[in-house]
Amino acid sequence: MKVPVVQGILNANDQIALQNKQLFDKHGICVINIMASPGSGKTSLILRTIDALQGRLRIGVIEGDIASNVDADRVAAKNAPVVQINTGGQCHLDAPMVQRSLEQLPLDDLDLILIENVGNLICPVSFKLGEDLNVMLASVPEGDDKPYKYPGIFVAVDAVVINKLDLLPYLRFDVAAFRKRIAGKNPQVRILGEYCEMCIGKEEWDEGLARQMEEKVKRL
Amino acid sequence: MKVPVVQGILNANDQIALQNKQLFDKHGICVINIMASPGSGKTSLILRTIDALQGRLRIGVIEGDIASNVDADRVAAKNAPVVQINTGGQCHLDAPMVQRSLEQLPLDDLDLILIENVGNLICPVSFKLGEDLNVMLASVPEGDDKPYKYPGIFVAVDAVVINKLDLLPYLRFDVAAFRKRIAGKNPQVRILGEYCEMCIGKEEWDEGLARQMEEKVKRL
């Protein structure tokens, strides 16, 4: 007698995330979900990426915030297509929110969508959006002990970008120990680049994104 | 005919929070719930407060974290009674967690309990613990736009402490604008002190705590 095997049924969020993913794939768009604490520099990373990849990749942005559109205004000033999601109190983006926001983006004219999640190291990790890559932005002033205290996000992400390295001289932050603690939680994680807002950033982040894009195009 | 008035029924968390509050009052203990982003300096504020109020108030500490006990170890090194709550993924402390942790603290020998909530500007705001005061710690590297983006916490707290002011020379952060934005969300809020980890902190925070304690003792 055959035992029937029932595949895991996707929860409501994951079902919509899968629909988002299929839509992104259909349009050949690579999607990065950027997660971090409040004030770690997510919007600055996005603005700098738009500048660095101008003429090379067509970038759209989804800004997630509890309230306000100060971040989306900064992106719009770069003439990049942007949509602001206000969660109205919810501590993370979810796939239905992203699905609704896509109606506002010119999907035929984009290669890359950067999603800025709500500033929170915990809740966003549990909600797929349809992204290709999950990236965490770690800010030096937050301290080098975060992999101990917020292990879930370090396990979940594909890459960590270390930000605000220009503040290193004024803080107790051991970059080597931080890298080791991240690797302890997630040996596969890529530390794409050590990026800082106020100095000329390393090119690894931009190169990493461009490579990711090329890989995706080859795959489709 | 009399219309019966049904009082709002407390939810399960608030019921336990009320029990916690009654227990604290019975022991004459003032309780502060400290909320902030990850890495804003909550533990450092607690350590410094223990030092500053030594011999004046007997302080116990409840440390809330997703995982690890690195924070509690730092407090224990000061010989202050401390209990670590690991939420195991939950993005905030709740009243039942605090209730269970109180079995580990010498309530008869304490005047003040400092609760360090999980690093998160959003979720902790919705869960009463039984505290007398809610305090938010705002860290300068997080930027001066936070009252726009996380209005809920600024509305909810009794006081805001601004931390890491020693980094002001290296950042774009307008203290006057930040204060004005906080007042815009919550005109009653007290900005108890501008505190920085690496310089000699102002005395307003400690004095504020001592005053709060005296007020509570008078009230009971």
Side-chain angles (χ1 to χ4, degrees):
Chain A
M1 201 180 148
K2 257 190 163 172
V3 177
V5 177
V6 180
Q7 285 198 314
I9 294 165
L10 294 175
N11 68 31
N13 183 78
D14 287 2
Q15 279 180 36
I16 307 283
L18 188 61
Q19 290 173 18
N20 291 346
K21 178 88 174 72
Q22 288 164 344
L23 189 67
F24 295 139
D25 287 354
K26 191 180 130 195
H27 288 86
I29 299 173
C30 184
V31 178
I32 317 277
N33 177 24
I34 302 172
M35 297 181 282
S37 298
S40 58
K42 295 183 290 299
T43 312
S44 297
L45 177 65
I46 288 170
L47 295 176
R48 191 188 156 288
T49 304
I50 292 170
D51 284 344
L53 297 178
Q54 202 142 36
R56 196 163 161 196
L57 292 179
R58 296 166 300 171
I59 301 178
V61 177
I62 298 173
E63 285 291 341
D65 278 297
I66 299 282
S68 90
N69 52 357
V70 290
D71 287 348
D73 288 348
R74 292 171 68 196
V75 174
K78 296 269 180 202
N79 289 318
V82 59
V83 53
Q84 174 81 50
I85 300 176
N86 280 155
T87 68
Q90 191 172 294
C91 52
H92 55 86
L93 291 180
D94 61 29
M97 287 178 182
V98 169
Q99 187 175 51
R100 284 193 298 278
S101 77
L102 295 180
E103 297 163 14
Q104 310 296 326
L105 286 177
L107 298 185
D108 284 334
D109 303 324
L110 294 178
D111 303 306
L112 177 66
I113 293 179
L114 300 173
I115 302 178
E116 179 176 338
N117 218 311
V118 177
N120 182 334
L121 289 191
I122 308 159
C123 315
V125 177
S126 306
F127 291 82
K128 289 181 189 172
L129 308 176
E131 71 281 0
D132 294 289
L133 268 188
N134 287 293
V135 173
M136 184 207 174
L137 191 58
S139 174
V140 162
E142 295 167 11
D144 55 23
D145 60 352
K146 293 298 155 288
Y148 293 137
K149 294 161 84 175
Y150 303 87
I153 191 163
F154 289 93
V155 172
V157 295
D158 302 290
V160 175
V161 177
I162 309 177
N163 196 17
K164 304 194 190 177
L165 283 167
D166 48 338
L167 295 176
L168 273 181
Y170 317 110
L171 296 164
R172 291 183 297 269
F173 187 100
D174 182 336
V175 174
F178 187 62
R179 282 176 168 270
K180 205 169 157 186
R181 284 166 197 160
I182 296 173
K185 296 294 169 196
N186 184 347
Q188 268 76 50
V189 80
R190 291 190 281 177
I191 303 186
L192 268 184
E194 291 168 1
Y195 171 86
C196 63
E197 189 186 0
M198 294 196 207
C199 55
I200 296 163
K202 297 221 180 96
E203 298 308 305
E204 297 155 63
W205 164 253
D206 306 323
E207 289 307 314
L209 280 185
R211 264 203 310 279
Q212 192 68 28
M213 198 49 229
E214 284 158 18
E215 281 167 26
K216 173 146 186 175
V217 170
K218 266 184 230 153
R219 242 181 11 250
L220 289 173
Chain B
M1 201 183 152
K2 258 191 162 173
V3 176
V5 176
V6 180
Q7 284 199 315
I9 293 166
L10 294 176
N11 67 33
N13 183 76
D14 286 2
Q15 279 180 36
I16 307 283
L18 188 61
Q19 291 172 19
N20 291 345
K21 178 87 175 69
Q22 288 164 344
L23 189 66
F24 295 138
D25 287 354
K26 192 181 131 196
H27 287 86
I29 300 173
C30 184
V31 178
I32 317 275
N33 177 25
I34 303 173
M35 297 181 282
S37 297
S40 58
K42 294 183 289 300
T43 312
S44 297
L45 176 66
I46 287 171
L47 295 176
R48 189 185 158 289
T49 304
I50 292 171
D51 284 343
L53 296 179
Q54 204 142 35
R56 197 163 160 197
L57 292 178
R58 298 166 299 171
I59 301 178
V61 177
I62 298 173
E63 284 291 341
D65 278 297
I66 298 283
S68 91
N69 51 358
V70 291
D71 287 349
D73 289 347
R74 292 171 68 194
V75 174
K78 295 269 180 202
N79 288 318
V82 59
V83 52
Q84 174 80 50
I85 299 176
N86 280 154
T87 68
Q90 192 173 295
C91 52
H92 56 86
L93 290 179
D94 61 29
M97 288 179 181
V98 169
Q99 186 175 52
R100 285 193 297 278
S101 77
L102 294 180
E103 297 164 15
Q104 311 294 327
L105 286 178
L107 298 184
D108 284 333
D109 304 324
L110 295 177
D111 303 306
L112 177 67
I113 292 179
L114 300 172
I115 302 179
E116 178 176 337
N117 218 310
V118 177
N120 183 333
L121 288 192
I122 310 159
C123 315
V125 178
S126 306
F127 291 82
K128 289 180 189 171
L129 307 176
E131 72 280 1
D132 294 289
L133 268 188
N134 287 293
V135 174
M136 183 208 175
L137 190 58
S139 174
V140 162
E142 296 166 12
D144 55 22
D145 60 353
K146 294 297 156 288
Y148 293 139
K149 294 162 85 176
Y150 303 87
I153 190 162
F154 289 93
V155 172
V157 295
D158 302 290
V160 174
V161 177
I162 309 177
N163 197 17
K164 304 194 189 177
L165 283 168
D166 48 336
L167 295 175
L168 273 181
Y170 317 111
L171 296 163
R172 290 183 297 269
F173 187 101
D174 183 335
V175 175
F178 187 62
R179 282 176 169 271
K180 204 169 157 186
R181 285 166 197 159
I182 295 172
K185 296 294 169 196
N186 184 346
Q188 269 76 50
V189 80
R190 289 191 283 176
I191 303 186
L192 268 183
E194 291 169 359
Y195 172 87
C196 63
E197 191 186 357
M198 295 196 208
C199 56
I200 297 164
K202 297 220 181 95
E203 297 310 303
E204 297 155 64
W205 164 254
D206 306 322
E207 288 308 314
L209 280 186
R211 263 202 312 279
Q212 193 68 29
M213 196 51 228
E214 284 156 19
E215 282 166 25
K216 172 147 186 173
V217 169
K218 265 184 233 153
R219 240 180 15 248
L220 290 173

